[in-house]
Amino acid sequence: MRRRERSEMVKMTLLMMVVMMSSMLMTMVDSSRTVQRARDDSEILRRHLLANGLGVTPPMGWNSWNHFNCNINEKVIKETADALVTTGLSKLGYNYVNIDDCWAELARDKKGKLVPKKSTFPSGIKALADYVHSKGLKLGIYSDAGYLTCSKTMPGSLGYEEKDAKTFAEWGIDYLKYDNCNHDGSRPTVRYPVMTRALMKSGRPIFHSLCEWGDMHPALWGAPIGNSWRTTNDISDNWSSMISIADMNEIYAEHARPGGWNDPDMLEVGNGGMTKDEYIVHFSIWAISKAPLLLGCDIRNMNKETMEIVANKEVIAINQDPHGVQAKKARMEGDIQVWAGPLSGYRVALLLLNRGPKRSDIAAFWDDIEIPANSIVEARDLWEHKTLKQKFVGKLTATVDSHACKLYILKPVA
Ligand SMILES: *[C@@H]1O[C@H](CO)[C@@H](O)[C@H](O)[C@H]1NC(C)=O
């Protein structure tokens, strides 16, 4: 290469590097601005508005959206409540029966009150709440911090927060999912606390689920105003959607705590879009992430496989552990990941996750998962339902199939 050519090339390379670095800098400034804004908001909201005593452990139950979308009616809701009891799921903790979008008429009544949709909820929501309560369950409902809900078939609560919170309390509502569609362009940190105050004034403890989709880092400002906050956009019933949402939610692990949880959206287990192993991964990650366990399938028609997954008592116990600490990624090597989180009683929840196309060996080292170096550890395999005979020192290794996981509780015994 001649000298002139070479110096031209050096110049070009330098120029490209400058362009790339300045664009990287701009991106960093941009995202740090969003983070700074979220921090400012959390200062404003430092005083806890929400002292309802709810969500000491992540909520469990069912929500209508993932399976039924807008095709809901009081018969489906009642039959679901019945099925939660007859299947034994309610005894395992699944006690919220949550109605999502599309339950109300488009027009409010003369006094500005929300009106249950006459064609689908002819008996009204109060009667439904009474029915659900008679089964020992709780009723959840849905509204939106905007003028219309996302389906645009019913009004949102923006400007009607006190009236709607009072109506929900009168009806006997126990849980509100508060969505983020069709608003006035103001920030969620302006609109959401208004509903929090209204719920607190309503005279009934109502779980407040912020469904802001993670747009403005709600994990940084959600705790004073919500019992849970969505950290991501909507889940779809497929592997890539589920696993990408799990990743996004993991970033905020430090912010989960009793009374306020990161919410990576409702479960798709049983809806048919993933393999059994993939659904086991889905349920395992949601459990160790201390996510709300809100079933999203048709409870009236679950098959044995679905039931085996969602009724795994030991996995549910991780989710409901009083310690309330969300698990995190401890080691990532390509498609191989180790997730872990502390549990009560000096135990550790350990997930070995194979996201790749081939069966692989995965090792978890005590060093990575915060177990003291010399500990001898007993391992319980929660999907095999057995305590392994071998005791482990320094690490645990297992072979994991493609798009599958192993979930253990590790207990130091010496
Ligand atoms: C998974 O769901 C997302 C979101 O709906 C969709 O864009 C994507 O195409 C789906 N992927 C597969 C493999 O079906």
Side-chain angles (χ1 to χ4, degrees):
M1 206 182 283
R2 271 183 282 146
R3 194 179 304 156
R4 240 193 63 206
E5 271 177 12
R6 202 180 303 152
S7 84
E8 280 299 305
M9 254 186 77
V10 169
K11 258 194 228 158
M12 281 297 289
T13 313
L14 275 172
L15 190 70
M16 272 171 64
M17 277 175 67
V18 168
V19 169
M20 269 172 64
M21 280 178 64
S22 65
S23 98
M24 268 170 66
L25 252 162
M26 289 303 289
T27 321
M28 279 167 66
V29 167
D30 245 29
S31 89
S32 82
R33 251 186 224 139
T34 318
V35 169
Q36 188 53 47
R37 264 200 159 176
R39 291 231 173 85
D40 294 346
D41 290 330
S42 107
E43 277 301 298
I44 295 163
L45 298 170
R46 202 176 41 219
R47 211 162 56 86
H48 262 246
L49 304 173
L50 187 66
N52 60 10
L54 300 175
V56 172
T57 60
M60 295 175 63
W62 171 85
N63 172 293
S64 56
W65 186 258
N66 283 356
H67 187 84
F68 293 95
N69 288 229
C70 269
N71 303 314
I72 50 168
N73 55 56
E74 61 185 38
K75 185 162 169 279
V76 167
I77 306 295
K78 280 179 160 177
E79 288 177 358
T80 299
D82 295 345
L84 282 171
V85 175
T86 54
T87 54
L89 288 173
S90 63
K91 277 219 179 71
L92 299 178
Y94 294 99
N95 54 19
Y96 283 108
V97 180
N98 292 352
I99 307 169
D100 208 284
D101 203 349
C102 309
W103 61 267
E105 293 286 349
L106 184 57
R108 291 171 177 270
D109 73 7
K110 286 198 197 76
K111 291 179 180 152
K113 229 171 131 171
L114 289 164
V115 181
K117 197 165 171 183
K118 291 194 181 71
S119 59
T120 48
F121 292 88
S123 316
I125 303 297
K126 172 87 174 73
L128 196 51
D130 290 346
Y131 183 82
V132 167
H133 291 155
S134 78
K135 300 246 146 191
L137 303 170
K138 295 171 173 161
L139 188 68
I141 211 158
Y142 166 97
S143 188
D144 183 283
Y147 301 117
L148 287 170
T149 61
C150 297
S151 71
K152 300 190 181 169
T153 65
M154 58 173 278
S157 295
L158 189 61
Y160 290 85
E161 291 86 352
E162 283 204 13
K163 190 174 291 273
D164 292 352
K166 208 167 142 236
T167 303
F168 298 151
E170 274 168 21
W171 287 345
I173 293 294
D174 304 294
Y175 184 115
L176 173 67
K177 172 179 171 181
Y178 203 42
D179 218 337
N180 195 24
C181 285
N182 306 307
H183 53 76
D184 58 1
S186 65
R187 279 149 66 183
T189 43
V190 174
R191 288 174 285 117
Y192 278 81
V194 185
M195 181 52 91
T196 306
R197 282 191 199 95
L199 290 174
M200 289 307 291
K201 274 175 76 172
S202 76
R204 187 176 173 87
I206 297 177
F207 188 104
H208 194 196
S209 155
L210 315 181
C211 183
E212 186 261 9
W213 321 316
D215 283 0
M216 282 199 61
H217 304 289
L220 305 188
W221 47 262
I225 59 173
N227 297 110
S228 67
W229 42 84
R230 280 276 300 279
T231 51
T232 74
N233 46 28
D234 285 5
I235 193 169
S236 293
D237 186 17
N238 68 53
W239 168 262
S240 59
S241 165
M242 181 277 290
I243 208 79
S244 72
I245 276 175
D247 287 340
M248 283 187 260
N249 188 65
E250 190 265 350
I251 294 169
Y252 300 106
E254 305 284 351
H255 299 279
R257 79 211 49 188
W261 307 102
N262 290 317
D263 176 4
D265 207 2
M266 301 159 310
L267 295 161
E268 292 282 10
V269 182
N271 281 333
M274 293 182 235
T275 66
K276 182 177 184 188
D277 277 349
E278 291 174 341
Y279 278 140
I280 287 177
V281 170
H282 179 20
F283 195 73
S284 299
I285 295 183
W286 263 238
I288 65 173
S289 301
K290 304 296 190 274
L293 294 182
L294 295 172
L295 303 169
C297 61
D298 184 353
I299 304 294
R300 305 165 307 172
N301 297 299
M302 286 189 309
N303 62 24
K304 190 162 155 276
E305 189 175 292
T306 302
M307 191 65 187
E308 264 173 42
I309 298 171
V310 303
N312 186 321
K313 283 183 193 171
E314 295 180 283
V315 179
I316 293 171
I318 291 185
N319 180 258
Q320 298 290 304
D321 187 76
H323 211 43
V325 176
Q326 180 173 334
K328 289 190 289 198
K329 291 173 187 171
R331 186 182 273 261
M332 296 172 275
E333 286 170 4
D335 290 327
I336 298 309
Q337 294 187 339
V338 175
W339 296 49
L343 298 171
S344 57
Y346 303 100
R347 297 167 308 149
V348 170
L350 170 67
L351 181 84
L352 305 180
L353 173 62
N354 181 357
R355 304 161 67 129
K358 286 193 303 244
R359 174 185 282 207
S360 287
D361 284 345
I362 306 183
F365 298 91
W366 288 187
D367 209 26
D368 290 335
I369 60 176
E370 293 175 26
I371 292 180
N374 297 324
S375 307
I376 298 167
V377 166
E378 181 184 276
R380 170 101 184 146
D381 183 327
L382 301 195
W383 290 111
E384 296 291 332
H385 301 284
K386 64 176 187 224
T387 304
L388 306 184
K389 285 213 184 74
Q390 184 193 347
K391 301 283 185 286
F392 297 87
V393 186
K395 68 171 183 176
L396 180 154
T397 306
T399 306
V400 185
D401 285 334
S402 159
H403 286 203
C405 69
K406 291 292 230 170
L407 181 59
Y408 302 96
I409 289 183
L410 304 183
K411 197 165 98 184
V413 288

